[in-house]
Amino acid sequence: MDAERLKATELLIERLHADYPTRGFKISPSIDFVYQANAGVSVVAKQSIKKNDILLVIPDAVRLYDKAVLPSSFVKKLRRKIEYQPYLTPSDYSLVVAIMKVLGRKAYKDRNDDIFSRQASTWPSEPSIKDSNLFYWDVASVQKVWNRSGLFNFFEEVRANVDSTFNNIIYPILKNNLDDYIDESLPSNQGTATTRKDKLYNTFLYSFALAYSRAHEGQDNDGPNGELVPLAELFNGHSDKIDEPIKKGKKNNEKSVINVHMVSGKWPFLRGSVFRDDCNLPCSAVFAVRDIDEGEELIISYGDVSATGFAFKYGMIPMDLIKHHNIMSDVSIFPDPKLIPSDKMRRKCLEKADFPLNELKHNKKLALGHFGWRTDSVEHYKNGYNNEVIGSMRHFIIIGSCELMADELQRNYSLGKLRGALYDCEAFPRLYDLFDYNIEILGGNATSADDAAKASSPDTPSWEKCCLLARIAYRESLLMWQRAVALKAKEAFGTAPMIALQYGWEMPNSDVMPSFKGCQICGRSYPELKCTKCKNVGRVVQYCCRGHQVLDWKEHKAVCGK
């Protein structure tokens, strides 16, 4: 099958040369399409390439997007019926239907030699794409890895949205023209027991897997839309995060992982993103963003994607992204049932503040709060800026479970006010423990080192490896937020007693100060690098990367090895 894809790539190049012999299409002799184990078809440098060299130019007329194969009126009708969903837009679905249309053409010999059919022949097969796409993963098996976490909830939500959209919108619209949208050659469509609707669904799922993992973002008169760019879609990619330095404004000394970019312009492209526009022919170009060595794989930017976002979109996570200092991902915080009060007045106060206590107790998918994947959010919080999610959870814990002044609940219920700083010595340690609770429901006693070891085993299937690496990113993100809460607890132990004196309130005995485990800078547990000098004297001082060790040296050098 991989030899067939490479041959199909050669035929596609020949076709583009024939259709655009002098302008619009260009491919550098410096690049080659090859097969790599566990990576499929990829692009490598046949010889050394200089920064800003133009490697590939593709005319916009051969981009596969919805209106390229579907009537505009049909596309507008389809998009109007579909609501925006997490990670999915109406234009994503219209691109999927366009791909189904291209796949359906295989049954017509007089139509299967157009440029889009040639492009379709370069796509991975249905069997080869199943392990690396969440729409094919077994739900029960995934739940064993992600357990009752935000990862699994999101996985279920996306799957449910896709199935619902197919059954309630896609199928009713296409059911009178099924043959035009069914790929009879798919292995899942073989056999007489499969109904026409089943065959359409199998084609829909395969098309969705292709669109979700291979599309670039384009633009038309109605706004952003996904598109598959011939040949350019065969470049493997990486998150922009991989090349972010430890400190903003400071360049990495190492070569950037991402070595090519794709830009839009007009023919001809000269160097990098610079073009001249000789004939008003819109094109897209791939060019080198640095010098590239012979034999090096060409890696394109996938945008600013988090590790868990990478897992959901591409069905895998590069190991260097897991080990990168910027691993922050979306996480959800679920309430420990012990924190949900039974006292009537506490419940009245929390319900007035819009905490749905009964739902929080019985609906295991309802989170207390959600943190986004932007690393600067946790850094801003550590630097003194307020965070709405932390503030809301702190409020929940204070009202729900902390020892309070006699009039606090009535005052809060009547006025909506809370003397929160009085109770931070108790609230922040409990908030810290809440992160431990969420780490436990994510993966039980497993650690990130355990997950990494299992993911690196050749016996671990691709889907499970992806799930394990996503679990690492999720766990480490929880630990980074927990570290920030520990710092706030430390501040509270210094200031809360003085505030209590102002109110004439005798504070209860404070909970134990949260421990500062993990990396000294961010709190991560993996990767685990230990200071050798401190280790030799029986002390454990841990970092997640060399960069964070260097960042901490100003503070650490006074006690290093002592």
Side-chain angles (χ1 to χ4, degrees):
M1 181 58 69
D2 297 301
E4 291 177 11
R5 288 185 67 199
L6 288 176
K7 181 61 177 178
T9 302
E10 294 175 7
L11 294 174
L12 177 59
I13 292 171
E14 289 178 9
R15 175 62 182 270
L16 287 166
H17 273 307
D19 290 351
Y20 299 90
T22 59
R23 55 190 182 185
F25 175 67
K26 176 182 178 180
I27 185 166
S28 169
S30 301
I31 68 173
D32 195 15
F33 295 87
V34 300
Y35 170 75
Q36 293 183 335
N38 301 320
V41 174
S42 55
V43 190
V44 298
K46 288 169 62 175
Q47 58 195 52
S48 60
I49 297 170
K50 294 297 183 181
K51 181 179 179 180
N52 288 323
D53 280 358
I54 304 298
L55 306 177
L56 178 68
V57 180
I58 296 288
D60 283 2
V62 300
R63 296 172 302 142
L64 174 52
Y65 63 104
D66 49 15
K67 294 177 185 175
V69 294
L70 302 171
S72 294
S73 58
F74 178 87
V75 171
K76 289 180 179 179
K77 175 184 176 182
L78 185 62
R79 290 187 184 182
R80 280 198 304 268
K81 288 180 174 289
I82 299 173
E83 296 181 353
Y84 279 83
Q85 304 164 4
Y87 275 71
L88 297 170
T89 67
S91 62
D92 290 326
Y93 283 100
S94 57
L95 175 61
V96 169
V97 176
I99 294 172
M100 294 170 70
K101 183 79 169 182
V102 171
L103 293 172
R105 288 177 177 172
K106 291 181 179 179
Y108 300 95
K109 293 183 178 180
D110 60 330
R111 302 184 197 172
N112 63 10
D113 197 39
D114 64 23
I115 194 69
F116 298 134
S117 296
R118 288 283 185 97
Q119 181 182 0
S121 297
T122 69
W123 294 337
S125 66
E126 183 188 40
S128 68
I129 209 171
K130 284 187 173 182
D131 239 16
S132 61
N133 193 275
L134 66 93
F135 301 113
Y136 289 104
W137 293 348
D138 178 68
V139 175
S141 298
V142 171
Q143 187 172 24
K144 288 180 181 178
V145 183
W146 286 346
N147 204 355
R148 192 165 56 82
S149 67
L151 280 173
F152 184 71
N153 289 348
F154 180 76
F155 168 74
E156 274 199 314
E157 182 182 5
V158 172
R159 291 273 294 252
N161 284 337
V162 169
D163 283 349
S164 175
T165 302
F166 173 80
N167 287 313
N168 298 321
I169 299 174
I170 304 295
Y171 176 68
I173 288 178
L174 303 183
K175 66 180 180 180
N176 294 327
N177 299 286
L178 292 183
D179 289 344
D180 290 342
Y181 297 93
I182 290 176
D183 183 353
E184 295 283 359
S185 69
L186 293 180
S188 60
N189 281 343
Q190 305 306 304
T192 57
T194 306
T195 67
R196 302 300 288 166
K197 182 179 179 180
D198 289 338
K199 288 186 175 184
L200 186 73
Y201 179 75
N202 292 336
T203 307
F204 168 77
L205 211 57
Y206 175 55
S207 300
F208 217 112
L210 292 169
Y212 203 55
S213 61
R214 307 177 77 79
H216 292 87
E217 185 172 303
Q219 189 81 20
D220 65 15
N221 295 332
D222 297 322
N225 70 299
E227 58 186 28
L228 298 184
V229 182
L231 301 181
E233 62 172 281
L234 299 177
F235 287 74
N236 287 320
H238 215 308
S239 170
D240 288 346
K241 289 181 177 296
I242 195 64
D243 291 324
E244 287 182 8
I246 295 287
K247 297 182 74 173
K248 290 184 177 180
K250 184 178 180 180
K251 293 184 177 179
N252 289 324
N253 293 325
E254 300 177 357
K255 288 182 178 180
S256 60
V257 174
I258 296 169
N259 51 24
V260 297
H261 279 181
M262 186 167 73
V263 293
S264 297
K266 294 187 178 180
W267 181 270
F269 277 87
L270 304 176
R271 297 276 296 167
S273 60
V274 179
F275 60 90
R276 192 169 59 222
D277 188 11
D278 284 355
C279 51
N280 194 30
L281 178 59
C283 300
S284 297
V286 177
F287 69 95
V289 295
R290 63 165 172 82
D291 290 347
I292 301 172
D293 296 330
E294 180 182 346
E296 188 177 346
E297 183 179 0
L298 305 187
I299 302 295
I300 203 165
S301 168
Y302 280 166
D304 192 10
V305 187
S306 70
T308 54
F310 211 101
F312 282 115
K313 191 164 179 62
Y314 303 108
M316 55 82 69
I317 306 178
M319 195 63 196
D320 55 354
L321 185 57
I322 291 296
K323 293 184 176 182
H324 192 257
H325 68 91
N326 186 354
I327 199 175
M328 183 63 76
S329 297
D330 295 286
V331 294
S332 300
I333 305 297
F334 297 93
D336 185 338
K338 295 183 296 186
L339 294 177
I340 299 176
S342 57
D343 179 80
K344 289 184 179 180
M345 192 60 190
R346 289 179 185 267
R347 291 180 68 88
K348 285 175 65 176
C349 290
L350 288 175
E351 286 169 349
K352 188 177 180 182
D354 295 327
F355 289 99
L357 298 184
N358 287 330
E359 287 187 67
L360 286 170
K361 183 176 182 178
H362 299 292
N363 183 357
K364 301 303 183 183
K365 294 184 178 182
L366 185 61
L368 193 59
H370 302 275
F371 292 105
W373 56 268
R374 297 287 183 184
T375 306
D376 53 7
S377 297
V378 70
E379 293 303 320
H380 285 166
Y381 180 65
K382 284 159 63 173
N383 291 331
Y385 292 92
N386 290 329
N387 181 277
E388 289 184 6
V389 180
I390 292 286
S392 175
M393 293 193 298
R394 169 179 170 266
H395 181 97
F396 177 84
I397 288 172
I398 290 173
I399 294 295
S401 58
C402 288
E403 187 173 339
L404 306 174
M405 291 183 70
D407 66 336
E408 193 69 65
L409 290 174
Q410 187 59 52
R411 179 176 180 269
N412 177 260
Y413 187 77
S414 301
L415 305 176
K417 295 182 178 181
L418 180 67
R419 291 169 287 211
L422 271 174
Y423 314 111
D424 280 346
C425 284
E426 189 178 357
F428 277 113
R430 294 191 181 189
L431 182 54
Y432 179 94
D433 291 342
L434 183 58
F435 281 91
D436 277 336
Y437 171 79
N438 277 268
I439 290 170
E440 184 179 346
I441 65 173
L442 169 68
N445 295 323
T447 66
S448 292
D450 295 335
D451 288 346
K454 187 173 182 180
S456 64
S457 169
D459 297 327
T460 302
S462 299
W463 72 265
E464 188 177 6
K465 178 178 180 178
C466 177
C467 288
L468 288 166
L469 295 181
R471 188 164 77 173
I472 292 175
Y474 194 94
R475 181 188 293 112
E476 299 304 316
S477 298
L478 288 170
L479 288 169
M480 291 167 74
W481 276 108
Q482 188 182 47
R483 173 77 174 196
V485 167
L487 291 171
K488 291 297 179 181
K490 182 179 180 181
E491 291 178 13
F493 273 75
T495 59
M498 292 182 288
I499 298 173
L501 284 174
Q502 295 175 16
Y503 284 96
W505 183 54
E506 185 176 345
M507 291 177 57
N509 292 329
S510 300
D511 288 10
V512 178
M513 169 76 78
S515 62
F516 286 84
K517 56 191 177 184
C519 174
Q520 297 296 299
I521 295 295
C522 68
R524 284 177 56 179
S525 68
Y526 179 85
E528 185 179 4
L529 308 177
K530 294 179 180 177
C531 174
T532 304
K533 288 185 178 180
C534 289
K535 185 178 180 181
N536 290 337
V537 296
R539 293 177 62 235
V540 177
V541 179
Q542 182 178 329
Y543 299 95
C544 71
C545 60
R546 171 66 178 165
H548 277 188
Q549 186 174 16
V550 172
L551 207 59
D552 190 49
W553 179 241
K554 185 176 180 180
E555 296 291 329
H556 181 62
K557 65 180 179 181
V559 296
C560 184
K562 299 177 183 177

